Amino acid sequence: MKPFDPSDFMQKIKLKEAEYLMATGPELSPTEVKNLLDQVLPKPSGAVQVLLQVLEDRLKVVTSDLENLDVFPTPLLTRDSGPLRKGFTLHRSQNGLDIQFVFSESTEGLFLSLKVNPHKGLSAELVSDGIALETLERLDLRSMFDTPIQMDFAPEIRILAGDEIRANFHFLLKS
């Protein structure tokens, strides 16, 4: 059984599986029950959970610290000479950092750019299932991830000072 999965459906399946095993198998000791539940229940990561739902005219934002927002799009300049893309900007503060997440729409998904103040000595990672997909080594030189974020994907953004995690956000994207 895999550990916590951000998918609601998979979480329910895992809980039902644990319930079934507990009901049909031999009597479990309290230690075994704890170990089984530790495999199923989510572990606190310290990350702020952010649910993003892209609607036609806005971005609906719900966070684990009970902040609900509607973010309206702004036109963004792009590197290519094509038409302006729609983008959404979300501001957050964590551990003394002022963080601006800029999501820009594309046919490939959402592209994420970060602006962090202060940014000196900081890097950022785009993480999926505990594996770093992409790293921005120096936020003062580069701020945009090249990896597009697909809908119904749950990436984690870690802002690091060396090996220390200074800010941690877990995004759940829904279309």
Side-chain angles (χ1 to χ4, degrees), residues 51-67:
L51 173 66
L52 300 174
Q53 184 176 14
V54 179
L55 303 173
E56 291 223 5
D57 62 338
R58 68 188 183 282
L59 182 69
K60 181 88 174 153
V61 180
V62 179
T63 65
S64 59
D65 53 4
L66 303 177
E67 183 179 348

Side-chain angles (χ1 to χ4, degrees), residues 12 14 19 54 57 68 71-72 77 85 95-96 101 107-108 115-116 118 132 137 140 144 168 174:
K12 288 177 184 171
K14 290 175 186 177
E19 220 173 54
V54 179
D57 62 338
N68 296 336
V71 179
F72 293 92
L77 295 175
R85 289 191 284 191
N95 295 332
F101 299 96
T107 55
E108 300 169 50
K115 293 181 184 174
V116 181
E137 292 296 334
D140 57 337
M144 185 172 178
N168 197 3
K174 298 290 180 190

Side-chain angles (χ1 to χ4, degrees), residues 110-141:
L110 290 176
F111 282 94
L112 174 61
S113 178
L114 296 173
K115 293 181 184 174
V116 181
N117 191 15
H119 59 263
K120 186 174 181 176
L122 297 179
S123 62
E125 289 181 332
L126 176 65
V127 179
S128 175
D129 294 326
I131 300 168
L133 300 177
E134 186 176 348
T135 302
L136 302 177
E137 292 296 334
R138 290 183 54 192
L139 288 177
D140 57 337
L141 298 178

